[in-house]
Amino acid sequence: MVNGTAGVSGYRKKTKEELIKAIDECKSLSQLFALIQHEHITVQMQSQFGASNIKTPNLEHNKIIDNKDTPMERLRARIRTAVEESR
């Protein structure tokens, strides 16, 4: 334990710039979640459409791909925002 928290052996915390770059370079959800865990990032997710009975927008797959509006990209953006606001 380091300062009351369990650390990952051999892991050095990243600076804000290094962390944002690492977030952008992640290729998988497991890499993103590892960064969240190792860096102790707190991410507040938005509620889903079904929770508030708001109609789900129907998007064509080309719009999702062209706009890079995939779940992975949305999560990456939320993590990046959490890092920028907290450090």
Side-chain angles (χ1 to χ4, degrees):
M1 294 229 315
V2 178
N3 297 333
T5 60
V8 178
S9 178
Y11 185 83
R12 179 187 61 82
K13 284 199 144 226
K14 297 177 181 347
T15 64
K16 182 177 180 177
E17 293 77 22
E18 290 173 330
L19 188 52
I20 290 173
K21 182 179 178 190
I23 291 167
D24 291 336
E25 292 174 349
C26 284
K27 302 289 185 212
S28 68
L29 286 174
S30 62
Q31 288 176 328
L32 280 172
F33 287 125
L35 278 175
I36 290 170
Q37 180 183 15
H38 297 328
E39 295 288 334
H40 304 285
I41 299 170
T42 301
V43 179
Q44 295 181 353
M45 301 302 286
Q46 297 174 341
S47 64
Q48 297 293 321
F49 289 108
S52 60
N53 291 327
I54 297 174
K55 184 180 176 189
T56 305
N58 294 326
L59 298 175
E60 297 175 18
H61 67 280
N62 288 341
K63 288 183 181 179
I64 293 172
I65 294 169
D66 292 343
N67 295 335
K68 293 187 178 181
D69 189 26
T70 63
M72 174 82 168
E73 290 304 319
R74 287 192 296 262
L75 179 61
R76 185 189 317 263
R78 295 294 298 162
I79 296 169
R80 191 180 306 112
T81 300
V83 168
E84 290 169 349
E85 291 176 353
S86 70
R87 293 186 180 208

